[in-house]
Amino acid sequence: MRISVSSDMDEPVARSLVAALRERGHEVRTHGALRPGDDPQWAVCSEAAAREVADGTADQAVVCCWTGTGASIAANKVPGVRAALCTDAYTADGARRWNDANVLALSLRLTSQPLLTEILDAWFAGEPSADAEDRQNVDRVRLLDHGKTRM
Ligand SMILES: O=C[C@H](O)[C@H](O)[C@H](O)COP(=O)(O)O
């Protein structure tokens, strides 16, 4: 997959993330502190990575900041993006399965190397649920992208 990665800090875990994605065979495009000369502010680089998912330049994105909160908030402001802040593998699996999340948000503070591996394993193994209720929920969220609240 084509995966956009952003981080507001040049932390070891962010570099490990990029390396791990490449090792898994993904094509990675970096933003923020991971790209020399790029704006490292979380509101800017998270949006840039998320926008590539929305416009189809990337299949998915991983957005990082110290807590993961700002990165997830900024990414979720981009229509078409469903960003999930995941602090464990179960949450990452659920984000793909129930929420059809297309952007993974990570905390640079909390995500240890082993946890990163577990989260990525779960994220990439997870498939969106075919359950009608699950699909309906995702469709409702998609409507919000267009300012609508009713199916
Ligand atoms: O949600 C915000 C992020 O956790 C930032 O990474 C955090 O605000 C730290 O940024 P700074 O070191 O620039 O204050």
Side-chain angles (χ1 to χ4, degrees):
M1 278 196 279
R2 298 162 303 160
I3 302 187
S4 294
V5 177
S6 68
S7 179
D8 69 338
M9 295 170 169
D10 187 4
E11 288 286 312
V13 67
R15 291 194 166 267
S16 294
L17 166 68
V18 171
L21 291 172
R22 289 190 171 131
E23 275 165 26
R24 288 166 191 250
H26 300 294
E27 186 186 313
V28 177
R29 186 198 296 236
T30 55
H31 294 273
L34 301 173
R35 173 178 290 266
D38 212 15
D39 191 332
Q41 297 300 316
W42 57 262
V44 177
C45 63
S46 309
E47 187 217 333
R51 206 161 280 288
E52 290 181 343
V53 175
D55 71 18
T57 312
D59 300 300
Q60 293 185 356
V62 186
V63 295
C64 308
C65 68
W66 188 242
T67 58
T69 312
S72 61
I73 290 172
N76 270 317
K77 294 294 181 188
V78 177
V81 165
R82 292 175 300 284
L85 174 53
C86 296
T87 50
D88 63 2
Y90 184 86
T91 306
D93 174 68
R96 291 287 297 129
R97 189 183 305 274
W98 298 310
N99 314 122
D100 196 0
N102 50 11
V103 174
L104 169 64
L106 293 175
S107 163
L108 297 168
R109 173 177 170 268
L110 288 182
T111 312
S112 64
Q113 185 63 58
L115 191 54
L116 174 65
T117 304
E118 290 173 20
I119 289 172
L120 293 180
D121 285 348
W123 177 267
F124 290 115
E127 286 290 332
S129 164
D131 177 83
E133 208 167 89
D134 292 331
R135 299 311 310 165
Q136 200 174 42
N137 271 306
V138 173
D139 287 343
R140 283 201 175 104
V141 171
R142 281 203 179 98
L143 281 180
L144 296 174
D145 288 333
H146 306 288
K148 296 178 188 163
T149 55
R150 292 268 187 277
M151 303 275 281

